Amino acid sequence: MKPIRIHYLQHVPFEDLGCIEQWITQNHHPSTVTRFFENDELPSLSDFDMLIVMGGPMGIFDDEKYPWLTEERQFIRKAINANKTVLGICLGSQLIAHAMGAKVHPNREKEIGWFDISLTEQGHQSKLLEGFDETFPVFHWHGDTFELPAGAHHLFQSEGCVNQGFIHNNVLGLQFHFEVTVESLKEMVKHGKEELTAGKYIQSAEEILAHRQLIPQNNKLMFTILERITRHIN
């Protein structure tokens, strides 16, 4: 595989690339970053082949507190229109769904912790997910959800949240965190502990950290998806 120029958008210090950084390094892909919390500039669309939009605790319309969200939403829309490969994770998936004209709104339940997701009928048919188990546990941390963009294929669902993933051509949105590592898991718990209140789909910090053995399998699935979604770039 020829090197792919990757740019990623990071919203808070404690939600970084996770295991995606390892995949980038192993495959010798050059990468650049816009860290909005450090007031970094956005690149030109001609400077990258793939855009990765990370997660964060803010909502996609929290412009008053995070003014850069206005420009970010416009930038993501331009990247999609320019036919870039785009991957959104958690908040990132909501941002790209909105950029594609879909509604983003509070989910009926917050979902924080390790909970199963299942392949949808379209997920079963997707070559992107070939060989994936019917149902498996992943790490979640979200209160909002997205509607499916027009023409998108619905890939995953969970008991607590119907729309967990979609793909539309070379744009992929994942509501959950395949990329989480032991370190990033600890950081998310540390910085988000006030959200760990009683709830049907909210685990305690102890429960979350006790399931660290699930991380390697989640990371392996992240690598598989990255290999498959970037294959067409070359």
Side-chain angles (χ1 to χ4, degrees):
M1 177 186 283
K2 286 163 48 181
I4 297 166
R5 300 171 302 157
I6 296 172
H7 188 79
Y8 66 98
L9 307 179
Q10 187 175 350
H11 305 104
V12 286
F14 56 89
E15 290 201 46
D16 58 15
L17 284 174
C19 76
I20 299 173
E21 185 171 4
Q22 180 186 343
W23 178 82
I24 289 172
T25 301
Q26 288 177 345
N27 289 281
H28 309 290
H29 299 314
S31 65
T32 51
V33 59
T34 298
R35 295 184 176 95
F36 290 109
F37 54 92
E38 293 184 355
N39 297 313
D40 288 351
E41 296 287 326
L42 287 164
S44 165
L45 292 175
S46 62
D47 290 341
F48 62 91
D49 306 303
M50 179 180 186
L51 179 67
I52 302 176
V53 190
M54 300 307 300
M58 63 285 296
I60 72 163
F61 300 116
D62 287 349
D63 302 53
E64 188 172 335
K65 189 173 181 181
Y66 306 100
W68 40 261
L69 277 165
T70 307
E71 187 179 9
E72 182 183 16
R73 290 195 302 268
Q74 295 168 352
F75 179 77
I76 292 170
R77 186 176 295 110
K78 289 175 183 176
I80 293 170
N81 290 342
N83 203 34
K84 303 292 182 179
T85 295
V86 182
L87 167 64
I89 295 172
C90 199
L91 173 69
S93 69
Q94 297 162 13
L95 283 162
I96 66 173
H98 172 75
M100 298 172 74
K103 291 182 179 179
V104 175
H105 54 83
N107 192 44
R108 55 190 169 86
E109 300 270 4
K110 281 191 174 183
E111 197 172 22
I112 304 176
W114 295 92
F115 298 100
D116 284 350
I117 60 170
S118 300
L119 299 184
T120 63
E121 185 175 341
Q122 288 184 318
H124 279 295
Q125 297 168 359
S126 174
K127 291 184 178 180
L128 181 73
L129 307 181
E130 190 173 340
F132 278 47
D133 290 341
E134 167 77 26
T135 300
F136 52 91
V138 299
F139 185 63
H140 307 259
W141 199 308
H142 67 98
D144 291 343
T145 187
F146 49 76
E147 298 298 319
L148 296 175
H153 289 232
H154 184 202
L155 300 178
F156 301 107
Q157 59 191 1
S158 73
E159 185 179 293
C161 181
V162 173
N163 292 331
Q164 288 280 0
F166 67 86
I167 189 166
H168 187 282
N169 296 326
N170 51 332
V171 178
L172 174 66
L174 302 175
Q175 181 60 76
F176 50 89
H177 294 273
F178 269 151
E179 86 291 351
V180 73
T181 62
V182 172
E183 187 56 39
S184 64
L185 189 69
K186 290 178 180 177
E187 285 295 299
M188 290 173 75
V189 168
K190 174 183 173 183
H191 290 276
K193 55 190 174 186
E194 72 283 350
E195 289 193 70
L196 302 180
T197 56
K200 186 176 181 181
Y201 301 105
I202 300 178
Q203 294 177 342
S204 67
E206 292 74 23
E207 285 180 286
I208 289 170
L209 296 173
H211 287 84
R212 286 175 287 188
Q213 79 280 1
L214 298 172
I215 290 174
Q217 180 61 24
N218 272 243
N219 290 174
K220 184 179 179 182
L221 295 175
M222 183 79 265
F223 294 158
T224 298
I225 281 178
L226 287 165
E227 292 290 342
R228 290 175 179 176
I229 200 171
T230 57
R231 200 173 284 161
H232 76 282
I233 294 177
N234 291 310

mmCIF file of all heavy atoms in Angstrom, residues 71-91:
data_model
loop_
_atom_site.group_PDB
_atom_site.id
_atom_site.type_symbol
_atom_site.label_atom_id
_atom_site.label_comp_id
_atom_site.label_asym_id
_atom_site.label_seq_id
_atom_site.Cartn_x
_atom_site.Cartn_y
_atom_site.Cartn_z
ATOM 1 N N GLU A 71 -16.682 26.355 12.152
ATOM 2 C CA GLU A 71 -15.758 26.139 11.039
ATOM 3 C C GLU A 71 -15.523 24.649 10.804
ATOM 4 O O GLU A 71 -15.397 24.202 9.654
ATOM 5 C CB GLU A 71 -14.423 26.834 11.327
ATOM 6 C CG GLU A 71 -13.456 26.810 10.158
ATOM 7 C CD GLU A 71 -12.148 27.521 10.460
ATOM 8 O OE1 GLU A 71 -11.908 27.892 11.633
ATOM 9 O OE2 GLU A 71 -11.357 27.706 9.517
ATOM 10 N N GLU A 72 -15.483 23.873 11.885
ATOM 11 C CA GLU A 72 -15.250 22.433 11.735
ATOM 12 C C GLU A 72 -16.375 21.766 10.941
ATOM 13 O O GLU A 72 -16.128 20.950 10.053
ATOM 14 C CB GLU A 72 -15.119 21.758 13.097
ATOM 15 C CG GLU A 72 -14.833 20.261 12.956
ATOM 16 C CD GLU A 72 -14.756 19.520 14.276
ATOM 17 O OE1 GLU A 72 -15.217 20.057 15.300
ATOM 18 O OE2 GLU A 72 -14.240 18.384 14.280
ATOM 19 N N ARG A 73 -17.616 22.093 11.257
ATOM 20 C CA ARG A 73 -18.742 21.500 10.527
ATOM 21 C C ARG A 73 -18.656 21.820 9.031
ATOM 22 O O ARG A 73 -18.892 20.957 8.183
ATOM 23 C CB ARG A 73 -20.075 21.996 11.106
ATOM 24 C CG ARG A 73 -20.394 21.464 12.497
ATOM 25 C CD ARG A 73 -21.861 21.693 12.854
ATOM 26 N NE ARG A 73 -22.226 23.103 12.796
ATOM 27 C CZ ARG A 73 -22.181 23.950 13.821
ATOM 28 N NH1 ARG A 73 -21.760 23.526 15.010
ATOM 29 N NH2 ARG A 73 -22.538 25.212 13.684
ATOM 30 N N GLN A 74 -18.289 23.066 8.715
ATOM 31 C CA GLN A 74 -18.147 23.464 7.308
ATOM 32 C C GLN A 74 -17.003 22.706 6.637
ATOM 33 O O GLN A 74 -17.120 22.264 5.483
ATOM 34 C CB GLN A 74 -17.905 24.969 7.223
ATOM 35 C CG GLN A 74 -19.069 25.817 7.712
ATOM 36 C CD GLN A 74 -18.701 27.285 7.882
ATOM 37 O OE1 GLN A 74 -17.532 27.665 7.778
ATOM 38 N NE2 GLN A 74 -19.699 28.123 8.153
ATOM 39 N N PHE A 75 -15.913 22.532 7.375
ATOM 40 C CA PHE A 75 -14.736 21.846 6.833
ATOM 41 C C PHE A 75 -15.049 20.380 6.535
ATOM 42 O O PHE A 75 -14.653 19.849 5.484
ATOM 43 C CB PHE A 75 -13.587 21.950 7.841
ATOM 44 C CG PHE A 75 -12.325 21.266 7.410
ATOM 45 C CD1 PHE A 75 -11.492 21.860 6.469
ATOM 46 C CD2 PHE A 75 -11.954 20.041 7.946
ATOM 47 C CE1 PHE A 75 -10.316 21.237 6.068
ATOM 48 C CE2 PHE A 75 -10.790 19.414 7.555
ATOM 49 C CZ PHE A 75 -9.967 20.004 6.617
ATOM 50 N N ILE A 76 -15.749 19.724 7.441
ATOM 51 C CA ILE A 76 -16.106 18.316 7.239
ATOM 52 C C ILE A 76 -17.001 18.178 6.007
ATOM 53 O O ILE A 76 -16.819 17.269 5.191
ATOM 54 C CB ILE A 76 -16.796 17.748 8.491
ATOM 55 C CG1 ILE A 76 -15.789 17.661 9.655
ATOM 56 C CG2 ILE A 76 -17.396 16.363 8.206
ATOM 57 C CD1 ILE A 76 -16.419 17.346 10.990
ATOM 58 N N ARG A 77 -17.948 19.071 5.863
ATOM 59 C CA ARG A 77 -18.837 19.041 4.686
ATOM 60 C C ARG A 77 -18.020 19.193 3.399
ATOM 61 O O ARG A 77 -18.255 18.486 2.414
ATOM 62 C CB ARG A 77 -19.885 20.145 4.789
ATOM 63 C CG ARG A 77 -20.942 20.094 3.683
ATOM 64 C CD ARG A 77 -22.012 21.153 3.871
ATOM 65 N NE ARG A 77 -22.799 20.934 5.076
ATOM 66 C CZ ARG A 77 -22.737 21.714 6.162
ATOM 67 N NH1 ARG A 77 -21.944 22.767 6.185
ATOM 68 N NH2 ARG A 77 -23.487 21.459 7.211
ATOM 69 N N LYS A 78 -17.054 20.104 3.410
ATOM 70 C CA LYS A 78 -16.210 20.303 2.220
ATOM 71 C C LYS A 78 -15.373 19.059 1.922
ATOM 72 O O LYS A 78 -15.184 18.686 0.757
ATOM 73 C CB LYS A 78 -15.297 21.515 2.438
ATOM 74 C CG LYS A 78 -16.026 22.849 2.416
ATOM 75 C CD LYS A 78 -15.067 23.992 2.759
ATOM 76 C CE LYS A 78 -15.798 25.331 2.802
ATOM 77 N NZ LYS A 78 -14.896 26.433 3.221
ATOM 78 N N ALA A 79 -14.859 18.411 2.958
ATOM 79 C CA ALA A 79 -14.053 17.209 2.764
ATOM 80 C C ALA A 79 -14.888 16.083 2.152
ATOM 81 O O ALA A 79 -14.428 15.361 1.257
ATOM 82 C CB ALA A 79 -13.445 16.759 4.091
ATOM 83 N N ILE A 80 -16.116 15.925 2.630
ATOM 84 C CA ILE A 80 -17.014 14.909 2.074
ATOM 85 C C ILE A 80 -17.347 15.234 0.622
ATOM 86 O O ILE A 80 -17.303 14.357 -0.253
ATOM 87 C CB ILE A 80 -18.290 14.791 2.927
ATOM 88 C CG1 ILE A 80 -17.953 14.234 4.317
ATOM 89 C CG2 ILE A 80 -19.321 13.901 2.235
ATOM 90 C CD1 ILE A 80 -19.098 14.300 5.309
ATOM 91 N N ASN A 81 -17.652 16.492 0.344
ATOM 92 C CA ASN A 81 -17.981 16.909 -1.024
ATOM 93 C C ASN A 81 -16.801 16.752 -1.967
ATOM 94 O O ASN A 81 -16.987 16.575 -3.181
ATOM 95 C CB ASN A 81 -18.469 18.357 -1.031
ATOM 96 C CG ASN A 81 -19.832 18.525 -0.389
ATOM 97 O OD1 ASN A 81 -20.573 17.554 -0.234
ATOM 98 N ND2 ASN A 81 -20.169 19.743 0.002
ATOM 99 N N ALA A 82 -15.580 16.817 -1.410
ATOM 100 C CA ALA A 82 -14.368 16.644 -2.217
ATOM 101 C C ALA A 82 -14.003 15.169 -2.386
ATOM 102 O O ALA A 82 -12.947 14.847 -2.924
ATOM 103 C CB ALA A 82 -13.199 17.397 -1.574
ATOM 104 N N ASN A 83 -14.885 14.279 -1.911
ATOM 105 C CA ASN A 83 -14.720 12.834 -2.056
ATOM 106 C C ASN A 83 -13.524 12.291 -1.272
ATOM 107 O O ASN A 83 -12.911 11.296 -1.680
ATOM 108 C CB ASN A 83 -14.600 12.438 -3.536
ATOM 109 C CG ASN A 83 -14.983 10.986 -3.766
ATOM 110 O OD1 ASN A 83 -15.866 10.458 -3.104
ATOM 111 N ND2 ASN A 83 -14.298 10.340 -4.702
ATOM 112 N N LYS A 84 -13.197 12.936 -0.171
ATOM 113 C CA LYS A 84 -12.175 12.400 0.715
ATOM 114 C C LYS A 84 -12.725 11.190 1.460
ATOM 115 O O LYS A 84 -13.937 11.081 1.690
ATOM 116 C CB LYS A 84 -11.729 13.449 1.738
ATOM 117 C CG LYS A 84 -11.193 14.738 1.132
ATOM 118 C CD LYS A 84 -9.879 14.515 0.409
ATOM 119 C CE LYS A 84 -9.326 15.828 -0.142
ATOM 120 N NZ LYS A 84 -8.028 15.641 -0.841
ATOM 121 N N THR A 85 -11.849 10.273 1.839
ATOM 122 C CA THR A 85 -12.247 9.219 2.765
ATOM 123 C C THR A 85 -12.358 9.847 4.141
ATOM 124 O O THR A 85 -11.427 10.512 4.600
ATOM 125 C CB THR A 85 -11.210 8.080 2.769
ATOM 126 O OG1 THR A 85 -11.200 7.463 1.483
ATOM 127 C CG2 THR A 85 -11.542 7.036 3.819
ATOM 128 N N VAL A 86 -13.502 9.658 4.803
ATOM 129 C CA VAL A 86 -13.743 10.307 6.089
ATOM 130 C C VAL A 86 -14.220 9.262 7.101
ATOM 131 O O VAL A 86 -15.141 8.497 6.827
ATOM 132 C CB VAL A 86 -14.791 11.430 5.970
ATOM 133 C CG1 VAL A 86 -14.984 12.120 7.324
ATOM 134 C CG2 VAL A 86 -14.367 12.455 4.910
ATOM 135 N N LEU A 87 -13.576 9.247 8.253
ATOM 136 C CA LEU A 87 -13.966 8.377 9.364
ATOM 137 C C LEU A 87 -14.298 9.251 10.562
ATOM 138 O O LEU A 87 -13.493 10.080 10.972
ATOM 139 C CB LEU A 87 -12.824 7.423 9.719
ATOM 140 C CG LEU A 87 -12.952 6.662 11.049
ATOM 141 C CD1 LEU A 87 -14.152 5.723 11.028
ATOM 142 C CD2 LEU A 87 -11.668 5.886 11.353
ATOM 143 N N GLY A 88 -15.494 9.073 11.118
ATOM 144 C CA GLY A 88 -15.885 9.804 12.313
ATOM 145 C C GLY A 88 -16.141 8.853 13.462
ATOM 146 O O GLY A 88 -16.798 7.816 13.277
ATOM 147 N N ILE A 89 -15.628 9.190 14.635
ATOM 148 C CA ILE A 89 -15.791 8.352 15.823
ATOM 149 C C ILE A 89 -16.537 9.131 16.895
ATOM 150 O O ILE A 89 -16.117 10.236 17.262
ATOM 151 C CB ILE A 89 -14.423 7.875 16.340
ATOM 152 C CG1 ILE A 89 -13.772 6.947 15.313
ATOM 153 C CG2 ILE A 89 -14.566 7.169 17.690
ATOM 154 C CD1 ILE A 89 -12.339 6.573 15.624
ATOM 155 N N CYS A 90 -17.640 8.569 17.384
ATOM 156 C CA CYS A 90 -18.455 9.157 18.448
ATOM 157 C C CYS A 90 -18.915 10.571 18.044
ATOM 158 O O CYS A 90 -19.688 10.712 17.118
ATOM 159 C CB CYS A 90 -17.703 9.140 19.775
ATOM 160 S SG CYS A 90 -18.784 9.312 21.210
ATOM 161 N N LEU A 91 -18.423 11.610 18.695
ATOM 162 C CA LEU A 91 -18.761 12.974 18.269
ATOM 163 C C LEU A 91 -18.471 13.145 16.783
ATOM 164 O O LEU A 91 -19.242 13.784 16.059
ATOM 165 C CB LEU A 91 -17.954 13.991 19.078
ATOM 166 C CG LEU A 91 -18.058 15.452 18.638
ATOM 167 C CD1 LEU A 91 -19.443 16.009 18.931
ATOM 168 C CD2 LEU A 91 -16.983 16.292 19.323
#
